[in-house]
Amino acid sequence: MPPQLRVNQAGELAATLIYTAQTPPLLRTHPHLRSLMQHMHAQEATHFATFNTLLARHRIRPTLLYPVWTAAATALGWGTAMLGREAAMACTEAVETEIGGHYNGQVRVLLEWMREMEAKGEEVGEEIRELVGQLKKIRDEELEHLDHAVGEDAREAKGWPVLNA
């Protein structure tokens, strides 16, 4: 799981930076989004902290592309917010669609691994069970963000097919 944990941590870094960059321009024109943006950012920050803890616990280094990832995520967040609410939400929809599938895949692999271990009579450790629970919770919160984005007219964005590609 080490490479996946590193990828997860980098993705959650990006998510926090996207929301950080999107929020000021969005709130200037759409102040009603304040609580939603705070809610989604807080959840992403918790996800990021979770993977930071897992990386430290397992002595896994963060991605070497951290500076590039930081610049790209910030530019994506700010750029989509400058295109308007719908574009910012289309960005969220696209990202959360991908990440939902990403986490679903990890959960499936871990559950299959657990079934194989149990079939062999091996004990599944609490740490693996906890990781599956964490991934499911994070996945569900990411998919909640997707639902919020669609509810905020993500699909009304000019160029939605490109933004959602």
Side-chain angles (χ1 to χ4, degrees):
M1 259 330 262
Q4 291 84 357
L5 293 177
R6 181 180 299 121
V7 168
N8 294 352
Q9 188 261 2
E12 299 302 341
L13 165 67
T16 60
L17 293 170
I18 288 169
Y19 287 130
T20 297
Q22 282 179 337
T23 299
L26 280 178
L27 294 184
R28 273 195 292 280
T29 54
H30 302 283
H32 71 280
L33 292 176
R34 181 177 307 281
S35 64
L36 175 61
M37 296 303 289
Q38 287 173 336
H39 170 73
M40 293 191 302
H41 183 273
Q43 285 183 323
E44 297 295 356
T46 300
H47 304 167
F48 184 52
T50 297
F51 289 113
N52 283 337
T53 299
L54 288 168
L55 262 57
R57 181 182 305 151
H58 297 286
R59 297 181 181 184
I60 301 167
R61 67 163 176 75
T63 179
L64 294 174
L65 298 175
Y66 212 93
V68 173
W69 209 236
T70 298
T74 301
L76 179 62
W78 185 82
T80 56
M82 294 307 291
L83 291 172
R85 176 180 63 90
E86 295 87 353
M89 292 299 148
C91 173
T92 297
E93 179 188 7
V95 169
E96 303 301 14
T97 297
E98 283 301 311
I99 202 69
H102 172 78
Y103 287 135
N104 266 337
Q106 289 181 12
V107 168
R108 276 195 300 274
V109 166
L110 288 171
L111 290 175
E112 180 60 28
W113 187 34
M114 290 168 59
R115 280 191 288 277
E116 289 173 8
M117 290 176 69
E118 289 168 343
K120 294 178 191 174
E122 297 173 1
E123 187 173 329
V124 176
E126 187 57 36
E127 189 172 3
I128 295 295
R129 292 184 192 283
E130 182 180 310
L131 179 59
V132 169
Q134 288 172 316
L135 289 173
K136 285 180 175 180
K137 180 180 187 293
I138 290 170
R139 176 209 54 208
D140 292 347
E141 290 175 353
E142 303 293 4
L143 294 176
E144 172 195 318
H145 301 172
L146 186 157
D147 291 341
H148 287 307
V150 171
E152 286 293 333
D153 299 327
R155 295 180 180 167
E156 302 301 317
K158 290 183 174 95
W160 176 82
V162 173
L163 290 168
N164 206 273

